[in-house]
Amino acid sequence: MESWVFDPVPERKTVKNRMHWDVDLATAEPSALIRAGATLLREPDDAVSWWVLADPEGNEFCAFPPRD
């Protein structure tokens, strides 16, 4: 199993992340991520079919619904 380790830094985020995470959801919506502390930034609409969220530190990531 692969894993990532994130080290905290003292300064706040000032520019867009160099890495962008995409998350494949196990359910049809991201409520579990929101309950775990993520903030919903954008819901699916006519332009995109995924959610854009941010973790508690403000790092943005996309959450995709399960594929049929």
Side-chain angles (χ1 to χ4, degrees), residues 24-67:
D24 290 325
L25 297 171
T27 61
E29 38 75 36
S31 60
L33 292 171
I34 294 167
R35 283 193 306 273
T39 300
L40 179 62
L41 301 177
R42 180 177 179 176
E43 294 190 41
D45 57 26
D46 293 337
V48 300
S49 60
W50 57 87
W51 293 265
V52 179
L53 299 105
D55 70 13
E57 297 294 325
N59 300 298
E60 295 180 12
F61 64 95
C62 294
F64 292 84
R67 296 181 185 134

Side-chain angles (χ1 to χ4, degrees), residues 1-42:
M1 179 165 129
E2 293 183 31
S3 63
W4 294 82
V5 176
F6 296 92
D7 290 323
V9 296
E11 63 273 356
R12 297 199 47 82
K13 178 182 168 187
T14 59
V15 297
K16 186 173 179 156
N17 296 350
R18 288 186 282 174
M19 288 188 85
H20 177 86
W21 296 95
D22 287 338
V23 175
D24 290 325
L25 297 171
T27 61
E29 38 75 36
S31 60
L33 292 171
I34 294 167
R35 283 193 306 273
T39 300
L40 179 62
L41 301 177
R42 180 177 179 176

